[in-house]
Amino acid sequence: MTAVESSGTSGSVVRRILLGSQLRRLRESRGITREAAGYSIRASESKISRMELGRVSFKARDVEDLLTLYGVSDEAERDSLLGLAREANVAGWWHSFGDVLPGWFQTYIGLEGAASLIRVYEVQFVHGLLQTEAYAQAVVTRGMPDASRAEIDRRVALRLERQKILVSERAPRVHAVLDEAALRRPYGDRSVMRGQLKHLIEVSEHPAVTLQVMPFSFGGHAGESGAFTMLSFPESDLSDVVYLEQLTSALYLDKREEVGQYTRVMERLQEDSPDPAETRDLLRGLLQLS
């Protein structure tokens, strides 16, 4: 069983991106513009762009027409790519949360579930994969003051469901750098914050988790542009992806030069932050003060 096959429904997102990247490679090798490709399948240039980025589902007819346009006549190659298109359309577990899940975040959840390495820098609050249920409840409530209790509970349930990847057979390695501000900014009451700090101390002992805190005492640091997440995958054909969340949408960066810049920032944050053992001491100190 390959890595993609073993990743379940999360693998459908990976397959979409793999297929999209292959279609982009084929189009560029033929010198065909996105506009011309879109015309051939009765679609817009922007749809071709979304297809090549793996942001939409694939219709078999569209893929067949594009392969013909790109001069792919070998039956084995066509069958392989069409098979990838079919597998890419498998719905992920998160689709059951469609009532509270923005479309732009569905892609991220699929990528997160398929990643072999997740690197994050957070400044506003503790990253979702490391939140306790009570802390998540406080974060969602604060962020959505007009939401119903049922909607808040659904969003928290989604967050807890995401955390199951940390104890799955294919659990990714997680390297998180949290700005000290994220630990000092209260969400919920005193017991919620104490519970979250205790949880971070516990999770930092997990062999697949590396947790560091960038302390106030360091002063200005490399993470000046704000929070970001980097996702790496076991598939050699899939490049690293940088995820930048905004208020009503998100950016997914995969160009080598852009990913390279974020990689350097992450490496500097890791180098300049106290190591995991010192971080646990810092967390224990904050726990005593809370």
Side-chain angles (χ1 to χ4, degrees):
M1 180 177 290
T2 67
V4 173
E5 289 168 343
S6 66
S7 61
T9 53
S10 294
S12 64
V13 175
V14 173
R15 293 183 181 100
R16 283 208 307 269
I17 295 176
L18 285 172
L19 178 57
S21 66
Q22 297 221 34
L23 290 175
R24 179 174 59 184
R25 175 180 57 79
L26 289 168
R27 178 182 60 78
E28 291 176 343
S29 70
R30 290 283 177 168
I32 297 172
T33 65
R34 289 194 182 97
E35 182 180 9
Y39 181 81
S40 73
I41 62 168
R42 303 154 297 282
S44 64
E45 178 182 353
S46 62
K47 180 177 179 178
I48 294 297
S49 178
R50 293 194 298 273
M51 289 176 67
E52 292 180 351
L53 291 170
R55 307 284 173 76
V56 294
S57 58
F58 292 88
K59 295 180 180 179
R61 177 182 173 183
D62 289 343
V63 176
E64 287 178 344
D65 289 347
L66 288 174
L67 293 178
T68 298
L69 177 66
Y70 301 157
V72 179
S73 57
D74 181 80
E75 286 302 317
E77 184 176 3
R78 290 178 69 92
D79 289 346
S80 175
L81 292 171
L82 287 168
L84 199 58
R86 288 190 296 272
E87 294 167 355
N89 291 328
V90 176
W93 62 262
W94 53 89
H95 286 270
S96 63
F97 289 90
D99 54 325
V100 295
L101 184 61
W104 49 266
F105 195 56
Q106 293 183 23
T107 298
Y108 173 77
I109 293 182
L111 291 174
E112 182 182 71
S116 57
L117 171 63
I118 302 172
R119 290 170 286 179
V120 303
Y121 169 63
E122 284 287 358
V123 64
Q124 176 73 7
F125 36 63
V126 174
H127 190 270
L129 289 179
L130 306 178
Q131 292 179 6
T132 65
E133 182 175 359
Y135 182 90
Q137 192 94 20
V139 169
V140 175
T141 302
R142 181 79 59 84
M144 305 188 67
D146 298 325
S148 67
R149 175 53 56 185
E151 182 178 355
I152 290 173
D153 289 344
R154 286 281 287 164
R155 290 180 180 274
V156 172
L158 170 63
R159 194 158 301 183
L160 297 179
E161 191 69 26
R162 283 171 53 201
Q163 294 179 5
K164 290 182 179 180
I165 65 170
L166 299 179
V167 292
S168 68
E169 291 183 4
R170 295 183 64 257
R173 290 181 294 122
V174 177
H175 197 148
V177 178
L178 305 179
D179 195 282
E180 187 175 342
L183 304 177
R184 290 188 176 272
R185 182 174 292 106
Y187 280 96
D189 58 24
R190 181 171 177 267
S191 65
V192 171
M193 291 304 296
R194 286 184 60 83
Q196 181 62 66
L197 289 169
K198 289 179 180 178
H199 179 66
L200 288 175
I201 293 171
E202 292 172 2
V203 78
S204 72
E205 300 279 5
H206 191 287
V209 176
T210 300
L211 178 62
Q212 294 178 272
V213 173
M214 170 55 74
F216 286 149
S217 59
F218 187 83
H221 55 73
E224 59 187 5
S225 62
F228 63 93
T229 300
M230 299 186 67
L231 303 167
S232 302
F233 309 92
E235 294 77 25
S236 59
D237 291 341
L238 199 58
S239 63
D240 289 357
V241 174
V242 175
Y243 172 75
L244 303 173
E245 187 169 315
Q246 301 173 335
L247 184 61
T248 58
S249 62
L251 293 175
Y252 295 85
L253 309 178
D254 64 353
K255 291 183 179 178
R256 182 170 302 190
E257 59 272 18
E258 292 177 322
V259 172
Q261 290 186 53
Y262 278 92
T263 298
R264 289 189 289 275
V265 168
M266 179 58 74
E267 290 173 347
R268 287 177 58 193
L269 285 168
Q270 293 170 353
E271 180 180 346
D272 293 338
S273 298
D275 65 29
E278 294 174 303
T279 288
R280 279 190 287 274
D281 290 339
L282 190 155
L283 290 170
R284 293 187 186 103
L286 291 174
L287 185 59
Q288 291 179 350
L289 294 173
S290 63

